[in-house]
Amino acid sequence: MTKLNVLSEKSYIPKAKKNAQEEKNDNSDFDESSFKHGKRLNRLSSHKKRTRKLSSYLKKSRKIDDSFFQRLHSCYDYLLFKDYVGLKKVKLEATHCCRVHLLCPMCAIVRAAKQVQIYEAKFQELKRKLPKLSIYYVVLTIKNGEDLGERYEHLHNSLKRLIARRRDALIAKNGKKSKAYALNSCFANVVAGAYSIEVKRGENSKEWHPHANLLLLTEDVIFESQIKAEWKSVTKDSQIAYCSVKDDDDKTVFVEIFKYALKFSEMEFDDNFLAWEILKGRRLMGSFGEFRGLEIPKNDTGLDLKDEPYLELFYKYQSNLGKYELHKRTSKDPVLSGE
C-alpha cells in the first residue's frame, strides 16, 4: 500500500494558460497524471464555460425549453476527484451530467476518455495474441454539401459498404466464390477496427463537410493509394483519403477516433444546435472485427485502487470566474476506515 503524502493546496489550483494553441492540442482532457491535473482543470473549465454560454444562447433564442436549459446549464456544476498521490494519478470519481454529448463538450470529453481507455486495453489484448499487428489511422472524406442529413447518409452508407468487404473476404476465404471480389480489398486482412464520423462547415464553401476517422489493426501493409482507389469505387464520387501507420504507444490515434463529439463544440452555436437536431440518434461511432465482443480483464483497464489512500478533491464551477475552484480537500485511507 502506498503511503499518502499530502501536497500543498497550490497543487490543485489551475495555472493560467501560456499558449492557447498548445492547450488545445495537448490532449490534457485525457490525462490522469497528477502532474497535469491543473491543465486538465483548465480545459474542463473551458468546456464548462462553452456549455453555459450555449445553453443561455439556446434559451434566449427559444430553441429549447426551461427544462432542457436546466439540464444543460447545470451539467458538471461540480467535480469530485480522487487523487492517488503515491501513484501520481487523479481520477474523476463523481459528478452530475446531462448526457447530451453532441451539445455538451463536458459530456463529450468524459465519454471519449472512457472509450480511449477501453480500446487501448483491447488493442493491448489483441497485440499479446498477434504481436505483428500494426495500427493504421485512416481518414475518409466525401464532397461537401448543403444538406447535412443527406451527406451523413452518403458517408455512413459508403463506410458500411467498405467495412462489409472485410466480412465478405472472410466468407470468400471459406470457399464462397461470389464473395471473391473482396479478397483484394484493403480491409480483407484487417483484424479489428473502430471508426467515428465528424462534421463541420467547410472553411471556404460554408457547406457541410463530413468525414470518417478509422483505426485499423492488421498484419498487412495498407497503402494510401489503395485506400483512395477503393474509397472511390465505393462512394462513386470521392477519393480523398489519408492513411498512415502509427507507433504502438501513440495514444493520439485513439483520441482522434473517440473525441469526435467534442468537435461539435468548435461550431457556431446555431450550427451546433442544427447538427445535433439532425444527427441525434444516428450512429456516429462503431467498431468491427475482433474489437466486437472482446472482453478485457478488469486489471487491464486500470490499476486496482481499492486499498490505496487518496485525497478527495471537491471542485465547484464559479461562473463569475469562469473556472472550477477547489472547495474541499479530504484525506482518505480505505484500509484504516474500513471502506
Side-chain angles (χ1 to χ4, degrees), residues 155-174:
L155 176 62
H156 188 236
N157 290 334
S158 298
L159 184 59
K160 285 196 299 182
R161 287 195 293 271
L162 186 60
I163 293 173
R165 293 185 175 187
R166 175 190 175 276
R167 182 181 63 249
D168 288 347
L170 291 174
I171 296 173
K173 290 173 185 178
N174 289 326

Side-chain angles (χ1 to χ4, degrees), residues 35-48:
F35 296 114
K36 293 187 177 180
H37 182 60
K39 292 183 74 173
R40 187 184 182 191
L41 280 173
N42 279 333
R43 293 290 294 135
L44 294 177
S45 294
S46 176
H47 296 323
K48 173 63 180 175

Side-chain angles (χ1 to χ4, degrees), residues 6 8 10 28 33 36 48 50 52 57 61 64 84 90 107 109 112 125 151 174 185 228-229 232 278 308 315 329 332:
V6 180
S8 69
K10 291 182 179 179
S28 55
S33 164
K36 293 187 177 180
K48 173 63 180 175
R50 159 81 185 197
R52 281 282 180 95
Y57 173 81
S61 57
I64 59 175
Y84 298 92
V90 184
C107 286
I109 205 62
E125 180 70 12
R151 289 288 81 192
N174 289 326
S185 170
K228 287 182 176 180
K232 176 66 178 294
I278 293 172
E308 288 291 334
Y315 292 85
R329 183 181 57 175
K332 300 276 188 176

Side-chain angles (χ1 to χ4, degrees), residues 178-190:
S178 63
K179 303 293 184 180
Y181 81 96
L183 293 173
N184 294 322
S185 170
C186 54
F187 277 67
N189 296 311
V190 169

